[in-house]
């Protein structure tokens, strides 16, 4: 499309101006910033025809394009450091959303999103869009988090500003304020609130400085596949195609992935083997599968951008991984 590249560059500049202006004026209302982000996303989407890969292919790792062979690709700059990619492949078919987050960029951070009123030890479920809308900060993007019990408790470990709710050993994505991302097995010590990984322990009094969200199974560790991805133990879950949500780490870059499924003619979903292959194509070193199925949802600039598989739309979930605007991160 003639002029598409210059159009995207203009949108990125405009979004960056909005974003950096807020850094300088931190008294600006959160809703005003959120509205500006929505406008930026809409402007970026208008730069390319809806059903042509065009220049967007160039912004993706080549191995991803080769793996999925998409007939539709859209890549939109959301804010500086966050890019949303949508790919549709006729082979399946598949509908895949990839959120590329550069956490080395100031002003971006991760946060644990919880249902309204959920605190330490409390149960609760809420749709992803409600969790994001109810968060006290400006949420740029979000995905559903851990698996959960019927009464609304996370299956795996969970820790955040509200304290520790999950108390079972699990794989998890963990992050510190201003620190490195980490994926691996963790434990929450019952009765102490302390979080323990293989080579680190965060005492209860410091738990606000580390957050983690559980999942299963771990897909990649040091770039290598982890076991058989639970295919032998849970073949219906692991070896059949379902909607999927996952996260992967490549240095300071976080890839957040949703794959729609159980929708004939739109997207059939992926097996865990196929999902891990996508993570390998993204060149991530560490990857974790989050809750999928009817829970799979991606929230971006005020709305759900994928197609949840449930007939009623979004499913209520136990927690969420949020990408948030962090004005304190830029000085």
């Amino acid at each position: 499309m003639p002029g598409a590249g210059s159009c995207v560059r203009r949108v990125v500049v405009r979004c960056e101006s909005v974003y950096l202006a807020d850094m300088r004026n931190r008294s600006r209302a959160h809703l005003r910033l959120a509205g500006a982000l929505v406008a930026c996303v809409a402007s970026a989407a208008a730069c390319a025809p809806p059903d042509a890969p065009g220049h967007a292919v160039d912004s993706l790792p080549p191995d991803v394009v080769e793996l999925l062979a998409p007939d539709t690709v859209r890549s939109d700059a959301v804010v500086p450091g966050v890019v949303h990619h949508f790919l549709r492949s006729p082979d399946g078919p598949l509908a895949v959303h990839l959120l590329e987050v550069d956490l080395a960029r100031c002003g971006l951070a991760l946060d644990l999103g919880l249902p309204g009123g959920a605190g330490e030890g409390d149960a609760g479920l809420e749709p992803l869009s409600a969790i994001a809308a109810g968060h006290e900060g400006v949420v740029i993007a979000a995905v559903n988090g851990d698996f959960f019990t019927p009464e609304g408790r996370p299956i795996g470990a969970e820790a955040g500003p509200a304290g520790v709710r999950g108390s079972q050993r699990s794989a998890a994505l963990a992050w510190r304020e201003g620190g490195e991302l980490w994926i691996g097995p963790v434990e929450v010590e019952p009765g102490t609130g302390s979080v323990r990984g293989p080579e680190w322990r965060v005492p209860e009094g410091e738990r606000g400085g580390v957050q983690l969200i559980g999942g299963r199974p771990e897909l990649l560790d040091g770039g290598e596949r982890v076991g058989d991805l639970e295919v032998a133990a849970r073949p219906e879950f692991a070896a059949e195609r379902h909607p999927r949500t996952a996260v992967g780490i490549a240095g300071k870059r976080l890839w957040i992935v949703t794959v729609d499924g159980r929708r004939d003619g739109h997207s059939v979903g992926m097996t865990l083997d196929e999902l891990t292959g996508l993570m390998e194509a993204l060149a991530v070193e560490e990857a974790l599968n989050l809750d999928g199925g009817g829970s799979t949802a991606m929230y971006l600039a005020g709305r759900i951008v994928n197609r949840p598989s449930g007939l009623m739309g979004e499913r209520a979930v136990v927690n969420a991984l949020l990408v948030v605007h962090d004005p304190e991160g830029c000085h």
Side-chain angles (χ1 to χ4, degrees), residues 86-287:
F86 170 74
L87 301 90
R88 186 185 184 282
S89 172
D91 185 12
L94 288 172
V96 179
H97 291 265
L98 306 174
L99 197 69
E100 183 180 1
V101 184
D102 182 5
L103 289 169
R105 189 79 182 235
C106 77
L108 296 177
L110 300 180
D111 213 348
L112 177 70
L114 298 176
E120 185 172 358
D122 294 334
L125 298 170
E126 200 170 46
L128 175 66
S129 57
I131 292 175
H135 191 69
E136 62 181 13
V138 174
V139 176
I140 298 168
V143 290
N144 62 287
D146 198 1
F147 300 85
F148 51 87
T149 65
E151 65 270 22
R153 298 186 186 279
I155 293 294
E158 179 204 278
V164 175
R165 289 199 308 162
S167 60
Q168 298 187 47
R169 185 181 190 278
S170 72
L173 167 69
W175 64 94
R176 290 180 183 269
E177 296 175 0
E180 296 295 324
L181 301 169
W182 183 86
I183 286 175
V186 299
E187 293 181 353
V188 179
E189 298 175 359
T192 70
S194 298
V195 181
R196 182 187 296 276
E199 299 179 359
W200 51 269
R201 180 177 182 273
V202 181
E204 180 181 11
E206 299 179 15
R207 66 188 181 214
V210 63
Q211 299 189 68
L212 60 93
I213 193 165
R216 66 176 295 185
E218 188 177 0
L219 304 175
L220 293 172
D221 181 16
E224 300 294 327
R225 294 192 173 207
V226 179
D228 73 343
L229 306 175
E230 296 194 354
V231 170
R234 299 196 295 166
E236 292 185 359
F237 166 73
E240 295 185 7
R241 286 176 162 172
H242 298 287
R244 304 285 183 182
T245 304
V247 290
I249 298 171
K252 281 278 192 176
R253 192 171 301 272
L254 181 70
W255 286 94
I256 302 174
V257 176
T258 63
V259 181
D260 286 350
R262 301 175 186 166
R263 282 186 169 270
D264 292 343
H266 170 64
S267 187
V268 297
M270 284 185 172
T271 67
L272 286 186
D273 175 74
E274 291 168 334
L275 181 65
T276 305
L278 174 57
M279 286 297 186
E280 290 170 330
L282 289 168
V284 304
E285 292 293 312
E286 314 289 331

Side-chain angles (χ1 to χ4, degrees), residues 50-99:
D51 294 315
H55 65 280
V57 170
D58 298 334
S59 65
L60 283 164
D63 287 351
V64 173
V65 178
E66 181 178 353
L67 176 71
L68 296 180
D71 60 7
T72 300
V73 180
R74 304 188 190 101
S75 294
D76 303 328
V78 183
V79 298
V82 179
V83 180
H84 171 235
H85 308 275
F86 170 74
L87 301 90
R88 186 185 184 282
S89 172
D91 185 12
L94 288 172
V96 179
H97 291 265
L98 306 174
L99 197 69

Side-chain angles (χ1 to χ4, degrees), residues 8-56:
V8 171
R9 285 192 293 274
R10 288 196 302 272
V11 170
V12 171
V13 169
R14 182 161 64 251
C15 290
E16 189 161 22
S17 298
V18 169
Y19 197 67
L20 295 179
D22 183 72
M23 298 294 187
R24 294 189 292 270
N25 181 13
R26 295 176 185 176
S27 63
R28 177 175 297 178
H30 286 159
L31 288 177
R32 185 176 177 187
L33 174 60
L37 297 182
V38 172
C40 283
V41 173
S43 298
C47 290
D51 294 315
H55 65 280

